[in-house]
Each structure stands twice: as structure tokens, then as C-alpha cells.
Amino acid sequence: MDIKGFGATLQTAFIGHQIEYYHQVASTNDIAIARGKAGAAEGTLVIAEHQTAGRGRYGRKWEAPPGKCLLVSVVLRHRLLRDQVGLPNLVGAIAIARALQTTHGLDTRIKPPNDVRIKRKKVAGVLTELAYDDQHHPFFVLGFGVNVNITLEDFPPELREIATSVRIASARSEDQNTEVCRASLLRAILCQLENTYLQLKAGETDLITNQFEELREIVPLRHNLS
């Protein structure tokens, strides 16, 4: 199914009930922040096929070939408590990791605070940005990018050892000709996201941190051989 029409079969309570779709934008987060400031409903999605100025943490640029990734931002209106400020990135990372496990059986891990990795290669990233709307009510935008149908040849040489895609990771051999359905994957991510976000709204932070600990990437100890 074309990603543009995926919302017709989306089974969520509020996320994705309003969707803005673009072929190309500078940044989906920028658009979602503008919509949030103007009063967009909670759960409003901004989806793009390509970003010219996508960004990750510390302003790092997010590179994504057109039409081969999921580039999504969602407006969420929960007023974060002081001890919850660091949790939205984890909410997004948990949702992506769980969706990839359930849809493709992939052994996904979270590298704190916002990277989802497969065999220590990055497949997705999350970026949360806080803002205030025109009524001075706080909200946040949770943006995420997932490498879906990128092939090894699509990655520049310097990224091939540190990045991967769902298509590469789920290939049973060197054959990468089978495309992954982005619409199905996005539906799965958004269902997981809504469930985990509702835990945040309910103050069930222990559930979120426990899920994160289950998914946390274990860094091997470096032995001093000197």
C-alpha cells in the first residue's frame, strides 16, 4: 500500500487521525511544531518522502534517500513532569524497536537515548522537541526516521559499517530485492507509540524504563591487555 493512503486502515485512538503528507520538506519536525503552535490536535502526523534539512541530536544532519524511509513527526500534548522530560525519546525508540520485532522478527536494541540499532548498526533515530502553542500551553513533537528500503549500495561508503535498514536486516541472504511495506511498518510503529505514550500520560514511568532496560544495547567490556 502506498504510504500516502496508510491512514485509512490505521487502528489507533487518536494518533494519525489528522495527517499531513508531503513529497519534500525541510524538516517534518519544523512543520509539526508550527502546527502544534497553531493548535493542531494531539496525534496530528506530518509525513514526508524526503527531507532536505532533517536533523538528529545536536543538530546532526539526517540523510535519507527519497521514498525509502519513514520520516514522521507527531504532535503530542502531554504536559511533561520534571522527571519525565527525558522519556519521550525512549517512548519513540521503544515503539520502533517493538514494531520491528513484531513485524519482522528483528533483534532490535536501543542505544541511549534515541537510536534504534540492529547488530550495532543504526536503523532508526528519534528526536523530541518541546514548544508552546499560541495559548502558552506546552506540547512536544516526537519525530522519527527509520531506514526501511535503503540497500547497501544506497549508503555512502562511510556509513555502511555503522548503518543498516529494515530491508537489509530482514534479507535472508545477500538478496535485497524484496521491498518492505512501509505502510504496514508505520501502522505497527504508531500503534506501539500510542500504547507507550499512554503509559507516559498515566504516569507509569516504571513500565517505560523497564521496557527500555529490556531493549537497552549492552556495550561489551573492553579488556585491558597491556
Side-chain angles (χ1 to χ4, degrees), residues 29 55-60 62 86-97 109-117 122-129 142-146 212:
N29 262 27
R55 59 186 179 273
R57 291 185 76 219
Y58 308 122
R60 297 187 183 115
W62 175 275
L87 292 181
N89 275 344
L90 295 186
V91 167
I94 289 167
I96 295 167
R109 296 290 160 182
I110 298 173
K111 180 184 177 184
N114 64 334
D115 285 354
V116 179
R117 308 216 299 179
K122 182 172 179 176
V123 70
V126 180
L127 178 66
T128 301
E129 297 184 276
L142 192 156
F144 60 88
V146 184
F212 164 63

Side-chain angles (χ1 to χ4, degrees), residues 10-42:
L10 182 62
Q11 296 181 334
T12 52
F14 58 94
I15 289 182
H17 285 203
Q18 294 187 27
I19 302 172
E20 293 189 18
Y21 173 88
Y22 298 89
H23 287 288
Q24 180 173 295
V25 297
S27 162
T28 58
N29 262 27
D30 288 348
I31 294 175
I33 289 171
R35 299 298 182 265
K37 288 181 176 180
E42 180 165 62

Side-chain angles (χ1 to χ4, degrees), residues 37-118:
K37 288 181 176 180
E42 180 165 62
T44 296
L45 290 183
V46 177
I47 302 173
E49 294 287 359
H50 182 51
Q51 291 185 127
T52 59
R55 59 186 179 273
R57 291 185 76 219
Y58 308 122
R60 297 187 183 115
K61 190 173 182 181
W62 175 275
E63 298 283 357
K68 295 194 174 186
C69 298
L70 292 176
L71 304 170
V72 182
S73 296
V74 55
V75 177
L76 298 171
R77 293 198 172 276
H78 172 61
R79 183 187 291 269
L80 293 169
L81 303 177
R82 183 172 297 179
D83 63 347
Q84 295 178 333
V85 172
L87 292 181
N89 275 344
L90 295 186
V91 167
I94 289 167
I96 295 167
R98 292 293 192 208
L100 289 175
Q101 289 176 349
T102 57
T103 59
H104 291 81
L106 297 171
D107 184 16
T108 48
R109 296 290 160 182
I110 298 173
K111 180 184 177 184
N114 64 334
D115 285 354
V116 179
R117 308 216 299 179
I118 300 171

